[in-house]
Amino acid sequence: MTAIACAPGADVMAVGDRSGCLRLYRRSGELLASRHTDRTADLMEMAFGHHAGRLYLASIDRGNVLRLWDAVDGSPLSSVALTGRRGSHLGLFSIGGRLVASLTGDPWRGVLIDLVSGRKTAKDEFGEHPTAYLNGRPVTVTADRAGDLQVTATPGAPTPSVAAPGVAAPGVAESAPERPVVCFHSGDRLLAGVIHTHEVAIWDVAEHRIVDVLSARSQVADLAATTDGDLFLLAGGEAGFLEHRPPPG
């Protein structure tokens, strides 16, 4: 396993492997689809997005090819060959009636890619980090080099018409935070997972304290979360699913 992702607001998870195969699963573990293309390069980044009422998935492989997939049946739809160094922080958004992938990461400042036409646009008009909502207020949640959580109010960010606190909004990281952070919602709490080498620290964002630490036998390479607060970890080439169960009381 080389990449994982969870669909926002949907019971779908994706796993990519070093052969370039995409697999879609339900939260229960049921396999929905398994798809190969003519490429065998590792899938390295994946991101879900909704467009025109349908769920899609974008991926980047080690050969620097950005591909769009139908996240309902796993069919590959289109691909764009990228030049330069492969970026990180892949996002997939519906913008202006178009399905657009965003890609940032040093040394790239950021780029938006129209997945139909392949047209690329410098990404200067977006915020610096993904936006989450804490008690209805837009904030950015990052972590410093030591792993301490940093929460910053986001003035001027749009308030979602239908979104629970903790749901990421279409802002995209301008530059990578010191440590990867994934925000998710548990009841009325906004939680954040911060990746350390062999651990994931779970923070209560409002109280600014660590409430749990998840340990792994191997180095944690990636982290994703479902809308229900379940966690999907990639460590040592294995994808592990942890179901969120709120503690009694």
Side-chain angles (χ1 to χ4, degrees):
M1 308 294 184
T2 54
I4 55 174
C6 293
D11 183 24
V12 182
M13 301 179 295
V15 175
D17 66 24
R18 64 181 50 179
S19 71
C21 177
L22 170 71
R23 292 181 178 87
L24 298 175
Y25 292 92
R26 290 203 184 279
R27 183 173 176 270
S28 62
E30 175 191 356
L31 179 65
L32 295 175
S34 179
R35 297 285 184 172
H36 284 271
T37 67
D38 55 351
R39 297 179 56 80
T40 57
D42 307 14
L43 295 180
M44 302 304 297
E45 297 276 344
M46 296 192 300
F48 281 98
H50 285 97
H51 178 68
R54 195 171 182 87
L55 186 64
Y56 293 89
L57 178 80
S59 69
I60 298 177
D61 64 29
R62 192 175 293 278
N64 229 17
V65 170
L66 174 65
R67 187 177 297 277
L68 179 66
W69 309 76
D70 186 316
V72 176
D73 61 13
S75 301
L77 301 176
S78 64
S79 62
V80 178
L82 304 178
T83 57
R85 179 177 173 181
R86 184 182 64 85
S88 58
H89 300 288
L90 176 65
L92 183 60
F93 307 107
S94 183
I95 301 175
R98 308 292 286 180
L99 192 57
V100 174
S102 67
L103 186 63
T104 60
D106 194 19
W108 289 2
R109 179 173 175 80
V111 64
L112 295 176
I113 304 165
D114 188 311
L115 287 168
V116 175
S117 67
R119 180 173 177 266
K120 303 175 182 67
T121 306
K123 191 197 65 59
D124 293 328
E125 65 271 32
F126 283 78
E128 294 186 351
H129 296 287
T131 301
Y133 290 87
L134 178 61
N135 299 324
R137 296 180 294 107
V139 296
T140 57
V141 183
T142 59
D144 62 19
R145 192 177 299 275
D148 189 41
L149 208 66
Q150 308 293 314
V151 182
T152 308
T154 309
T159 300
S161 56
V162 181
V167 176
V172 184
E174 179 81 24
S175 58
E178 296 296 340
R179 289 181 182 271
V181 177
V182 172
C183 290
F184 56 98
H185 194 235
S186 172
D188 59 354
R189 293 196 302 172
L190 175 61
L191 302 182
V194 180
I195 296 178
H196 296 256
T197 305
H198 290 82
E199 295 178 337
V200 175
I202 307 298
W203 290 73
D204 185 306
V205 177
E207 298 181 3
H208 200 85
R209 65 184 180 92
I210 295 176
V211 295
D212 202 356
V213 176
L214 308 176
S215 299
R217 293 191 299 270
S218 305
Q219 182 171 338
V220 180
D222 202 359
L223 174 68
T226 69
T227 306
D228 294 327
D230 308 310
L231 295 181
F232 208 26
L233 275 73
L234 180 63
E238 295 182 346
F241 180 70
L242 290 81
E243 181 182 6
H244 176 70
R245 296 177 181 174

